[in-house]
Amino acid sequence: MAAGIGRVWARIVVLLPGRADLAELRRDPRRDLLAGLTVAIVALPLALGFGVSSGLGAEAGLATAVVAGALAAVFGGSSLQVSGPTGAMTVVLVPIVGRYGPTGVLTVGLMAGLMLVGLAVLRAGKYMQYVPAPVVEGFTLGIACVIGLQQLPNALGVPKPEGDRVLVVTWRAVEEFAKSPNWTAAGFAVAVAAVMLVGARWRPTVPFSIVAVLAATTVAQWAGLDAARPIGDLPSGLPVPSLSFLDLGSLGTLVAPAVAVAALAALESLLSASVADGMTVGQQHDPDRELFGQGLANIAAPLFGGVPATGAIARTAVNVRTGAGSRLAALMHAAVLAVIVFAAAPLVSKIPLAALAGVLLATAIRMVEVGSLKAMVKATRSDALILVLTALATLALDLVYAVIIGLVVAGALALRAVAKQARFDQVPLDRGDHSAEEHTLLAEHIVAYRIDGPLFFAAAHRFLLELTDVADVRVVILRMSRVSTMDATGALVLKDAVEKLRRRGIVVLASGIRPGQRQVLDSVGALEPLRHAGREYATTPEAIRAAREYLETAGVLPVLPTRPSRTSSEEALP
């Protein structure tokens, strides 16, 4: 017991910040502080908007950005990652809020944080590399569509309809708007989104999101537009940390949503960290440490009333583009947001909900990389299918199911492609030093098959059909030196084929079995028939000589007075 605890603690110690992280903070603090200030300006409307969209309110989004953003910056595995509430997480949280209420979301966040820490200790971060690019692209496209649709009630100035299916809620919101149009709210949303999209092309370095939100707030207050509903009152500070939301009796029912939240947090955070690595030279994140940092962030955020957090791709990209070089920038981002929470809550509370909806609509549009989507669709039909299925599943079901469906389809298509590489070919016997007459006699009674590539469940059935169709021969030689991999299904199919041929009176010999294949064949008893009859050989020439001896004994071939020695051509056979 003590030894096990010691091993776990040793793994945790490796994940904690070290001296190198402290040294990194001193390299260029001025540039990092400026980058953090810029990211905070960009993050403010996003944190407010995603908090509102999640159903827990703008204060929950701010609490997450401050608490989770600071902890993930300190303990995460990327020096440039910026964490907080994200649109992808909001998509998952909306149905959880509808079913379990705000306290259920806080409990789910805490459980997900513990799961992420567990994944970090188990060194699970490396498995992110096995998620195919079409799944990620389809996932991102689906998220962008869901985020955009989620904003329509606030953008249209109508109360959010009941329901947790985004397509149903969107349709009901449009029907409500058609009955009583709120053109003021719609105008604010469109104007803010347009300013952000056009401004990003004109001056990419200017944070047009905060400019547009400030302008919309000023116009709404100056003109006294009641139709532009504001966020509402915000607390002037973070709440006292508390576990009062925790209901131990409900933990069992919340395991499934907690797994979904943890899976999404891991996927999005590691993806965002990889994006940051690709935008810089020399930066490389530690995936296990990133999971650890996100786990601690999600354990702490619910204590302050915050929603689950992940690494945020958009804010991380802004951080990198503005010159951040260390964790100090992400810490500065959290600190600036904390100051806003304490000092400017009355001003922030006057921001129109429609303006925040416009920010998120623009964010959703900018998430869609048209060039990447075109390239993925043109790559192969399989990639296009995976991308479309993942996007549709994200829109119609939920994000975790979408990723699972994408991975299953990608895996099935990959197995199909690998199975096609397996070859089962009849090969001619080498003439060696046989006379033409003897070689003709051998070829009439012996057939040799060479198996190339993988012999596993996806290709094994075709192998069985082709092998058992052989006719008018006395001996079959299986040349297996080129088998790249074999599973239990392949071994069982091989055993079945040998048994069927033996029942037809055909002798089966095998050559070139590798040690790795031998273990699999032994496990299902596929080698027993060959061993008992002495019909397993190291090389193909040995198998050919054994086949010739069998045919001589059976009277099929004339007995030669002297046995030819092995020739150089026989030595060359695999």
Side-chain angles (χ1 to χ4, degrees), residues 169-192:
V169 171
T170 300
W171 179 253
R172 290 174 180 171
V174 171
E175 286 183 329
E176 187 67 26
F177 180 79
K179 294 177 184 176
S180 178
N182 184 343
W183 297 110
T184 301
F188 273 121
V190 172
V192 169

Side-chain angles (χ1 to χ4, degrees), residues 194-206 208 366:
V195 169
M196 287 182 61
L197 295 173
V198 175
R201 289 180 173 273
W202 177 51
R203 288 284 189 275
T205 57
V206 177
F208 280 98
R366 291 168 64 178

Side-chain angles (χ1 to χ4, degrees), residues 17 27 79 121 131 146 148 159 164 180 199 297 299 317 320 333 365 382 427 458 474 488 533 550 557:
R27 290 179 186 170
S79 298
V121 173
V131 179
V146 174
D164 57 3
S180 178
I299 290 172
V320 175
H333 140 269
I365 293 171
S382 296
V427 293
R474 302 292 295 273
Y550 165 76
L557 290 180

